[in-house]
Amino acid sequence: MKLVRFGEKGAEKPGAIDSQGRIRDLSGVVADFTPDVLTIEMRDRLTALDLETLPVVGGNPRLGAPIARTGHFIAIGLNYVDHAKEAGQPIPAEPVIFSKAPSSLSGPDDDVILPRGSEKGDWEIELGFVMGRHCHYVAQSDALSAVFGYVLANDVSERAFQIEGTGQWIKGKSAPTFGPIGPWLVTPDEIPDPQDLDMSLDVNGERRQTGNTRTMIFPVAELIAYLSEKMDLEPGDLVITGTPPGVGLGMRPQQFLKPGDEMHLTMAKLGEQRQKVVAFRG
């Protein structure tokens, strides 16, 4: 099942995509996709629904982030060998973990706003997953059963904020709109193998990234098991899993986002995103 949130920013409603690609309104079933309802039990209830009995949403509404919010927004760095090399970093022996502010979440086609003082905005296409149950010391063999669903993500970054100065990654990853996810939250019955998903990202019509999740250093099940050793994972937590090579930081010469640029992301079974880059005004 492909779950969405549709409508104007701040007033989104929950929905699902039917077999004909239309949005069906789920607001009579669930108020919103908030962490308290993003459980395996709710997922199973939703996937059992007959979508043909639910109201069709007319027009072409905006799609917001397919989850209303997340408790933890966890990111994995340097999880593809070639990306670690282009970043001039050693191949990690264990997952590199950092956070993004939950307030960075945005819709798949919303504008990406470069913050005041930004000089080195960058792109990173990534597979994301949303947890569906509490996990602490979960075994790899049980880890995928705890996933509510999978999403396409763009881990937008500001490299000067991230690397220069005190070099705290969260500072370069957390601006509003730096966490586009969606268009859909796809339940695992449609993603039998999260380690076999093709992905690509273009900037202004030119291919920048091409990859497949099979080349991740630490696959999803291993990430869940590892993270659950370091912290409690809870329903609604969002984890993005790293990016293949081709980011602006790794290009020679380096290339960074500027107002007017457009990004186009695609991932097998998880849909596509289109974002225009704009400057902060305020």
Side-chain angles (χ1 to χ4, degrees), residues 79-116:
N79 199 23
Y80 290 73
V81 171
D82 289 345
H83 174 55
K85 289 180 177 178
E86 73 174 354
Q89 300 292 323
I91 307 305
E94 59 184 276
V96 175
I97 305 169
F98 62 97
S99 293
K100 292 173 73 81
S103 57
S104 68
L105 281 179
S106 63
D109 299 328
D110 291 344
D111 289 347
V112 166
I113 303 171
L114 296 177
R116 184 181 295 153

Side-chain angles (χ1 to χ4, degrees), residues 189-204:
D189 55 295
E190 296 196 17
I191 311 287
D193 183 5
Q195 303 308 146
D196 188 22
L197 301 173
D198 289 327
M199 68 183 84
S200 65
L201 182 148
D202 297 347
V203 179
N204 299 329

Side-chain angles (χ1 to χ4, degrees), residues 123-280:
W123 54 85
E124 294 189 15
I125 186 171
E126 308 202 7
L127 168 66
F129 61 87
V130 175
M131 298 300 299
R133 65 177 169 87
H134 174 267
C135 287
H136 190 50
Y137 295 115
V138 67
Q140 283 192 46
S141 58
D142 295 329
L144 293 185
S145 69
V147 173
F148 186 101
Y150 297 94
V151 291
L152 168 60
N154 188 357
D155 178 16
V156 183
S157 310
E158 211 303 326
R159 301 301 189 186
F161 296 0
Q162 175 189 355
I163 299 170
E164 300 171 16
T166 54
Q168 298 170 6
W169 284 19
I170 190 171
K171 295 192 301 185
K173 299 283 189 170
S174 293
T177 74
F178 271 27
I181 62 169
W184 313 305
L185 175 60
V186 184
T187 53
D189 55 295
E190 296 196 17
I191 311 287
D193 183 5
Q195 303 308 146
D196 188 22
L197 301 173
D198 289 327
M199 68 183 84
S200 65
L201 182 148
D202 297 347
V203 179
N204 299 329
E206 296 184 7
R207 181 59 44 87
R208 291 290 182 255
Q209 292 185 273
T210 303
N212 186 288
T213 55
R214 74 171 65 95
T215 64
M216 287 166 56
I217 299 169
F218 305 106
V220 171
E222 186 174 352
L223 289 174
I224 294 172
Y226 181 86
L227 289 168
S228 77
E229 294 177 356
K230 311 302 180 187
M231 66 188 77
D232 276 353
L233 294 175
E234 299 175 328
D237 284 353
L238 171 62
V239 182
I240 57 176
T241 59
T243 196
V247 300
L249 179 70
M251 298 180 71
R252 298 294 181 268
Q254 293 178 336
Q255 295 188 24
F256 296 112
L257 295 170
K258 60 186 182 302
D261 286 346
E262 295 186 0
M263 294 178 281
H264 178 214
L265 296 76
T266 64
M267 189 175 294
K269 301 182 180 180
L270 294 178
E272 62 182 311
Q273 302 181 355
R274 293 182 183 273
Q275 295 123 21
K276 183 177 179 180
V277 179
V278 300
F280 174 80

